[in-house]
Amino acid sequence: MKLTFRVRYRTVWGENVCVILCDDGMVRQIPLSTRNGDEWQGIYEYTPNGTCRFITYRYAIYREDVCVRKELGTIPHTLYWGNLQQNHYVMDDCWRDLPVEAHRYSSAFNGIYQPQSYNKLSDGVGSCITFRALCPELSCHNQALGIIGSCNALGNWEYCRPLRMQEVQPNVWHITLDASSLESPFEYKFVAINAESGAVEEWESCPNRVFHIQPLQRGETYLPMDTEVFFALPARKFAGTAIPVFSLRSEGSFGVGDFGDLETFVTWAAATGQHVVQILPINDTTMSGTWTDSYPYNSISIYAFHPMFIDLRQLPSLSDWKLAKDFEEKRVRLNALPAVDYEEVNRLKRAYLREIYRQEGEKVLQSKPFIEFFVDNEHWLRPYAAFSYLRDLYGTPDFRSWKAYGKYDRDEVEQLCSPDSEAFPYIGFYYYLQYQLHVQLLSVACHARQKGVILKGDIPIGISRSSVESWVEPYYFNLNGQAGAPPDAFSANGQNWGFPTYDWEVMEKDNYLWWRRRFAKMAEYFTAYRIDHILGFFRIWEIPEHSVHGLLGQFVPALPMSADEIRSFGLNFRADMLRPFINEYILNTVFGEQSGYVRHTFVRPLHHDLYEMRPEFDTQRKVEAFFEGKTDAESLRLKENLYALISDVLFVPDRKNPELYHPRIAVQTDYIFKQLSSQEQEAFNHLYNHYYYQRHNEFWYHEAMKKLPVLTQSTPMLVCGEDLGMVPDCVPWVMNELQILSLEIQRMPKAMGQEFGCVSGYPFHSVCTIGTHDMSTLRGWWEEDAALTERFYHNELHHWGEVPEHAPAWLCREVIMQHLESPSMLCILTWQDWTSMDETLRNPDVKAERINVPADPHNYWHWRMHITLEQLMKADGLNELIREVVSASGRGERAKEN
């Protein structure tokens, strides 16, 4: 068949328009030609591939052989020929960017796509017209899209005679009509029709459309431009709960939440009128086998799930009844604990799983469903299983210290994983675990869709330097860097996550394949996701290897300053601005009675009353090594003060060019800044504000727009970004352009000069919450700072009189109601904050509800619900209250039930 593509796009000199055609996995590039640089056309002879009845395509702009721009959105143009294949198809298209309301087209707002055929034409038809429409969720599940118009073939505007269109792809509707049956010109509209009666139930809210039929040859089908169809539907706003999977508790769980518990939690959310369940990362973090592995953002694989999330109740029973009885006794003991005993839970659960694997594993690994799973996931599953086996064998995930296989070799690993290898019984165990996790999470995902609940996952910004990805694909990462965050309300010294940073230049060469695979895997289970630290896609805070704190970091990529440029701001740049400023006053003030010991051990005289760090202690890592194993309060205090001394510099050399410099973050409170003259301080502040708040906006905008359009539109999931911290002006530019939902927290306002955010002024494209897993709960925050709480009580809640010492249920309900009534599309509250409305049910120990303290690098992630899911399902008072406030806020109705 012949395909003619036409599109209007005004190019500039040197640019060309191409069609990128996708046919059952095959991608072809079709160049178009133009006479005026505005109207582009091309003809392609296409041979249909097998039984496929459609192709999809996008338009792209090329400069020489480089694609510089491509249509945005997850929905490409579609050509569907159904049961009637014509000789020639003529597509009149327009360039398509994101739909006006792109979120409506996401999998979060749409059910499971089930293709159906309608309006079949006979083979005797001469020429045809195919109308194409993009229409997301309709007002109810029992509706379909139709077309009605002013001629008899289109029902003569009679509400009972519209033609039903066919949904050929999710949200993409087509109808092909015999051109000879249409009277030219005619008027028409798209309508929502009852799927059973076929009658019109809603009319699109726009003037009648007019169509003039063009002369067509026999065997030719004309496809006018795609049309976005809108009905007068209210904005969809939903409420939901955020809770870590490990925090779930049921009567049958093994001391930690599992995927079976998550399915029950989805049921509870739906029963209380909620339509979102958000979880923390669930990837495997098994490194040391100790409680430090509880940190969910430091995984050994971006694909593999943590084995502790397997619901043992969904596996066959142990055939050894004595062993089963012993495990049951231990399960009951662990499940009664107020918090997760991470080490014991994983030790015992792993032992149980090994017994089940010995009993059932061989049969499962030979089953057809497992083989299909293995084929689909082989690219990550085999390296992960080998990595896990070698980690266990050598007692460390640090592959650099392994005696063998330290450098990844695909052929060697394939041989290690072959069924006749001595290691295969161990390798197969990890295949088995990941298969069970896949089956169980897929069950949760299907259950959530059936209940109309958005299941929202979490994609961490970093990967561990001792991970499968670092082992297999080291070229994607800067393994000598440390990712983190600059100082913020959570941590005065910044945060050092220890993750390697990404080599974006390498990733760009294959169009971010690493990320696209990662997102595609997430899309198998989730309909929405949170991008952890989305600022990292603009720039990442990279900390040198020799640093422990985050203060000596720099943004990467960034535009460093030369010495001459620094001087142009009125500041006389000197080499000593790169060294810690240490004098007698500082030593006495900071170290007090220990100052003599510090002079003798860690510093040496420079000149006058100035000192410098001794070479053996001139980095924070060297100081850290000196204090290793010393845990007494005096040693810890001395170590932290030495860290601060080392970071007391005014500028940090650029990581690539040491003759270029970055102003040190948050230096204004340090001694080196205070010793500057008032004129120098003013000059530095001018330079500092320019560098951090003005200099990089355009630069970082373009950096983000290289990556985020490709990644966020590679799957149909709803995209949410965690945009907290030191947010450049360009971040909302990109998020608004790509319709990425922002995160809004009242106690972390984004507007300068505000103490609290304006909940009623939040943007629609946002997720609002009272607090995250990194923050105290509402009740916990209420008790942290009495003066702050008093201002909130009087100025934000507008109450008079004495401030309650503890947050009563009625006050918690008021704050929750404010958030539910906000304009934000999603209002997702922590489970602890939901329960705060019921004084008979909420945890009496407020401090026990905190999940993470970001300033504490040794935080133990082990919080659990203080009641079981069974008790929660029967908590009629709380559940009715949640239903009531959700319904009253207008967030309780699901626009399209699944």
Side-chain angles (χ1 to χ4, degrees), residues 695-707:
R695 183 183 185 88
H696 294 96
N697 274 320
E698 288 290 338
F699 177 66
W700 285 336
Y701 168 84
H702 291 294
E703 287 297 315
M705 288 301 290
K706 289 179 184 177
K707 317 173 187 87

Side-chain angles (χ1 to χ4, degrees), residues 592-712:
E593 295 179 354
Q594 293 180 312
S595 61
Y597 174 63
V598 171
R599 286 186 189 88
H600 180 266
T601 309
F602 300 102
V603 301
R604 65 185 182 185
L606 193 60
H607 57 81
H608 299 89
D609 75 333
L610 298 180
Y611 293 81
E612 66 179 359
M613 300 300 298
R614 293 181 183 272
E616 59 267 35
F617 298 112
D618 59 0
T619 72
Q620 292 178 345
R621 289 294 178 197
K622 291 178 181 179
V623 171
E624 180 185 50
F626 177 82
F627 285 93
E628 185 176 2
K630 299 177 181 179
T631 58
D632 60 283
E634 186 175 329
S635 294
L636 294 176
R637 184 170 59 253
L638 179 58
K639 179 174 67 173
E640 288 297 319
N641 286 334
L642 288 169
Y643 287 166
L645 204 63
I646 292 169
S647 63
D648 191 10
V649 299
L650 206 61
F651 288 94
V652 176
D654 183 67
R655 67 184 187 122
K656 289 187 175 180
N657 187 343
E659 295 184 359
L660 298 176
Y661 313 99
H662 307 260
R664 207 216 77 186
I665 192 79
V667 73
Q668 286 85 345
T669 59
D670 281 12
Y671 290 103
I672 193 168
F673 178 81
K674 293 176 182 178
Q675 62 87 31
L676 297 175
S677 68
S678 59
Q679 183 178 355
E680 288 176 322
Q681 288 181 357
E682 183 178 352
F684 180 84
N685 283 333
H686 179 45
L687 174 153
Y688 184 95
N689 291 332
H690 165 76
Y691 179 88
Y692 282 109
Y693 300 105
Q694 300 167 17
R695 183 183 185 88
H696 294 96
N697 274 320
E698 288 290 338
F699 177 66
W700 285 336
Y701 168 84
H702 291 294
E703 287 297 315
M705 288 301 290
K706 289 179 184 177
K707 317 173 187 87
L708 285 174
V710 175
L711 305 183
T712 59

Side-chain angles (χ1 to χ4, degrees), residues 492-597:
N493 292 319
Q495 299 176 50
N496 186 348
W497 303 324
F499 306 138
T501 55
Y502 297 106
D503 192 329
W504 291 111
E505 293 180 0
V506 172
M507 288 185 160
E508 186 179 9
K509 291 178 180 178
D510 60 13
N511 201 27
Y512 310 100
L513 176 64
W514 187 89
W515 282 98
R516 287 186 288 117
R517 282 180 169 176
R518 185 179 188 181
F519 281 36
K521 184 62 179 174
M522 289 280 288
E524 292 182 26
Y525 314 100
F526 300 101
T527 50
Y529 64 98
R530 166 188 179 270
I531 301 179
D532 170 48
H533 194 65
I534 196 172
L535 305 183
F537 290 89
F538 294 76
R539 78 294 183 272
I540 197 73
W541 188 248
E542 185 172 298
I543 303 160
E545 280 186 298
H546 58 69
S547 291
V548 176
H549 288 168
L551 292 174
L552 294 176
Q554 57 191 256
F555 285 124
V556 176
L559 304 171
M561 309 178 86
S562 67
D564 287 341
E565 186 179 6
I566 293 171
R567 294 187 183 103
S568 73
F569 281 84
L571 182 67
N572 184 27
F573 178 78
R574 306 180 301 274
D576 61 3
M577 292 179 173
L578 303 172
R579 295 196 301 265
F581 179 72
I582 310 170
N583 63 13
E584 289 283 355
Y585 172 78
I586 294 173
L587 292 176
N588 293 331
T589 303
V590 173
F591 297 99
E593 295 179 354
Q594 293 180 312
S595 61
Y597 174 63

Side-chain angles (χ1 to χ4, degrees), residues 116-247:
Q116 294 176 322
S117 297
Y118 297 96
N119 196 46
K120 295 181 180 179
L121 299 178
S122 65
D123 293 337
V125 172
S127 57
C128 300
I129 297 174
T130 296
F131 290 95
R132 299 176 290 174
L134 302 181
C135 183
E137 50 168 356
L138 299 169
S139 62
C140 73
H141 71 284
N142 195 35
Q143 286 185 336
L145 192 66
I147 186 171
I148 193 169
S150 60
C151 58
N152 187 59
L154 294 178
N156 279 328
W157 297 118
E158 296 179 22
Y159 80 96
C160 58
R161 292 180 55 205
L163 296 182
R164 178 169 179 165
M165 301 182 73
Q166 180 178 354
E167 192 174 13
V168 299
Q169 290 281 281
N171 307 307
V172 179
W173 300 79
H174 280 199
I175 188 169
T176 300
L177 304 175
D178 184 346
S180 65
S181 68
L182 301 170
E183 304 166 10
S184 182
F186 61 86
E187 296 183 355
Y188 68 100
K189 271 190 174 183
F190 294 102
V191 289
I193 64 175
N194 185 287
E196 294 179 0
S197 68
V200 175
E201 293 186 335
E202 296 179 59
W203 300 72
E204 64 173 323
S205 51
C206 68
N208 292 347
R209 303 174 187 272
V210 179
F211 191 87
H212 295 268
I213 299 177
Q214 300 181 7
L216 298 172
Q217 302 295 321
R218 183 174 182 82
E220 190 170 84
T221 294
Y222 174 68
L223 294 86
M225 295 178 183
D226 294 334
T227 301
E228 279 192 67
V229 178
F230 299 98
F231 297 103
L233 300 176
R236 274 62 170 176
K237 300 196 302 180
F238 300 137
T241 300
I243 192 168
V245 175
F246 63 77
S247 299

